Every structure is written in C-alpha cells, then in structure tokens.
Amino acid sequence: MQERRIALTFDDVPRGAGAFLPVKDRADMLRQGLRDAGVEQAAFFINPGKLAENPERAADIMAYMADGHVMANHTSTHPSLRDLTVPQFLAEIDAAEEWLVQLDNHRPWFRYPFLNEGGGDAAKRDGVRDGLAERGLRNGYVTVDASDWFYEANSLAAQRARYTIDMDALCDLFVESHVEAADFFDRLAIDAIGRSPAHVMLLHEADVTVMFLGDLVEALQADGWTIIPADEAYDDALGAFAATYDTPSAQGTLIEMVAWERGLPAPRWYPRNDIAVARAEYDRRVLGIEEGAAE
C-alpha cells in the first residue's frame, strides 16, 4: 500500500468573529492545537486587505509564522474571479503580495478564493495563469476539500434560529467528513494518475475547524495518513497539472480537475461538498431534526 501523505492549509486569514470562540482565543487555540498534534508546518493563505477591519490580527499572523508555519497569497480582500476582470484580479494578487513579501516565511503560492479559477471562462482562466507565471507565483491548489466552512456557517445559522447544537455530534460529523473526503480524493487520484500524491487539505481559520483540529489529526493518523509540511506537499509533481489542465469549468480541487480532464466519470467530488447533502446530515445528527420534519 502506498504511503498516504497530507498537508494542512488554512484559508481566509485574518478571519473575524465566528460561531463559538473569541477571535484571540481562536488564534491561540489553533497555534496550540497544531503544536499538540505535531504539525510542524501548515500553510496559511492570507487576505492582507482584511487587516484594515481587524488590524490587531497582524500579531496573530506573525505568531503563526513564529511557530514555523508559512504564509501565502489568497488575494487582498477575497473576491471571486467571476466578479472581476483579469487586470482587476491580478491587482488584488499584487496588493496581497506586496504585504506578504515582507515576511520571512512567505511562499510564492497563490490560492484562488472559492477555488474559482475562472469557471467556464477559459480566457479568464488563462489570463490569470499567465499573470501568475509572470509574477513567479504558483497555484496553491487543493486536493482534499470537505467544505469545513459549511460547519461554521451552519452553526451560526443554528444559533440564530435558537437550536441546541450537539457539540459531540458536530465533532463526529466534521471529523468523519474530512477523513472520508481524504479517502475519496485519494482513490480518485489513484484512478486518475496511478498513484497517491502528496495531498493538500483545505481548511479555514474558523471556530469549528480549530475546536476539532486535534480530533481531525488523530482520526487521519488512525486512518493511515501522515501529516506532512506544506513545502513537501507542494513539491509533488502533481503541481505541474495546476497550470495546464483544461476542463469545461475551472473550479474545484486539482484532483477533480485532473480526473475530469482524463475522462473519469462524475461524481468527481466528495458527496458532502453538495451543501444540501451536508445540511441534511447536520440537521439530523447535530440538531436532531429528521428529514421532512416541521421546523
């Protein structure tokens, strides 16, 4: 059996208030959680323009970096490429990079907000690819996604609706979904390229993710995964596909895109990335609402 390796990455830093934790406590908890789990190097994808709203969060970014983690570009303010022209989008990348290049642990990686690389607009896709190459930036692609953001967003919605959230059940669902997604995308990669690559898991600097990080790492390891540095993951030859794949729509994990390009049939995505599916599981298991029950 091939060794299964995966790096952890966190998007949308700095993030504002979430469902359960004070922002400062969340950053401290994430740092401690990574240390406790033995994660020597995660990658944080930064939106420096968000510091205008929360300038105190710059200290948290520096603290992540001091712990040995690496920082990369996620645009300045997190727009979707679908809403901007190529020059406007590249200007967002440039504004973020101008701030990031000052950091010792900066990496020349760029991750598209919403994993949207142009959708069905091939001209946008290729225009930004060309712009990244001109700037010496690589696609900070994702290979494993279980929509961790959904569990945070749905918890906020449940709180507003005054539901009782079963935190143990939320932990179980969150962890189960991410381990299942890792297994799903690894099988898809083997079908598409004939091997298990070094994987990159998409997470966010969000309360639910931070609270259950230790449980997630423990479950991944019990499932046969080794947590590796982000540098090691992005050294994998899989990355060559990130600037060349050609599919009818460019949005999603790199594994999905390569499988699509090579003619593997749908579904090429983890089922709970369909938010309707994830919400039904959340409602049943976390809120105790059976499907079809009156709210």
Side-chain angles (χ1 to χ4, degrees):
M1 182 176 179
Q2 297 184 60
E3 181 186 14
R4 301 200 301 170
R5 299 171 295 149
I6 194 164
L8 305 184
T9 67
F10 297 86
D11 279 12
D12 301 359
V13 184
R15 199 174 175 95
F20 301 106
L21 301 170
V23 172
K24 180 57 179 174
D25 289 354
R26 182 181 64 213
D28 292 342
M29 185 181 295
L30 177 52
R31 293 178 63 206
Q32 188 63 51
L34 289 167
R35 285 194 292 266
D36 290 346
V39 179
E40 296 181 358
Q41 188 204 74
F44 289 80
F45 285 84
I46 311 295
N47 301 123
K50 296 289 188 178
L51 288 168
E53 304 167 19
N54 298 287
E56 70 283 356
R57 295 299 321 281
D60 294 326
I61 295 173
M62 299 307 165
Y64 293 146
M65 188 173 65
D67 286 347
H69 306 301
V70 296
M71 310 294 130
N73 193 323
H74 198 40
T75 71
S76 182
T77 63
H78 202 270
S80 174
L81 178 52
R82 71 171 178 264
D83 298 324
L84 299 181
T85 65
V86 169
Q88 289 170 334
F89 194 73
L90 292 173
E92 275 274 340
I93 294 171
D94 290 340
E97 199 66 14
E98 183 178 359
W99 189 87
L100 285 160
V101 293
Q102 305 172 70
L103 305 181
D104 292 339
N105 284 18
H106 165 256
R107 294 293 186 270
W109 306 332
F110 169 71
R111 179 169 293 166
Y112 291 80
F114 311 103
L115 302 184
N116 186 333
E117 300 185 27
D121 189 332
K124 275 191 175 181
R125 179 197 68 194
D126 294 343
V128 176
R129 282 181 179 176
D130 290 345
L132 292 177
E134 290 167 2
R135 289 159 173 78
L137 295 173
R138 295 173 52 194
N139 187 331
Y141 60 84
V142 168
T143 67
V144 175
D145 177 22
S147 300
D148 76 311
W149 61 268
F150 162 79
Y151 298 95
E152 176 84 2
N154 219 50
S155 295
L156 283 165
Q159 288 176 335
R160 288 194 295 268
R162 299 187 180 277
Y163 283 109
T164 298
I165 297 174
D166 184 333
M167 297 302 291
D168 289 336
L170 177 55
C171 178
D172 289 345
L173 178 59
F174 179 89
V175 170
E176 174 189 286
S177 297
H178 283 76
V179 174
E180 284 185 357
D183 292 345
F184 174 88
F185 284 109
D186 193 51
R187 290 191 300 269
L188 187 62
I190 291 169
D191 288 344
I193 65 171
R195 66 181 179 91
S196 176
H199 284 277
V200 178
M201 177 174 278
L202 172 58
L203 299 167
H204 290 77
E205 192 201 44
D207 292 4
V208 171
T209 302
V210 171
M211 291 165 62
F212 303 140
L213 179 65
D215 299 279
L216 171 58
V217 171
E218 184 178 345
L220 284 167
Q221 291 171 334
D223 193 48
W225 289 92
T226 298
I227 310 300
I228 60 172
D231 281 336
E232 181 178 339
Y234 282 123
D235 278 345
D236 193 285
L238 178 73
F241 292 109
T244 61
Y245 75 79
D246 186 15
T247 54
S249 181
Q251 182 169 4
T253 70
L254 181 57
I255 298 298
E256 178 185 347
M257 296 296 103
V258 174
W260 194 358
E261 182 180 50
R262 296 192 168 195
L264 273 67
R268 295 172 294 270
W269 51 88
Y270 172 58
R272 288 180 193 163
N273 285 336
D274 180 336
I275 297 309
V277 174
R279 183 172 290 113
E281 283 293 297
Y282 186 104
D283 288 352
R284 180 177 64 85
R285 294 169 58 172
V286 178
L287 304 181
I289 302 170
E290 293 300 328
E291 187 174 359
E295 299 186 10

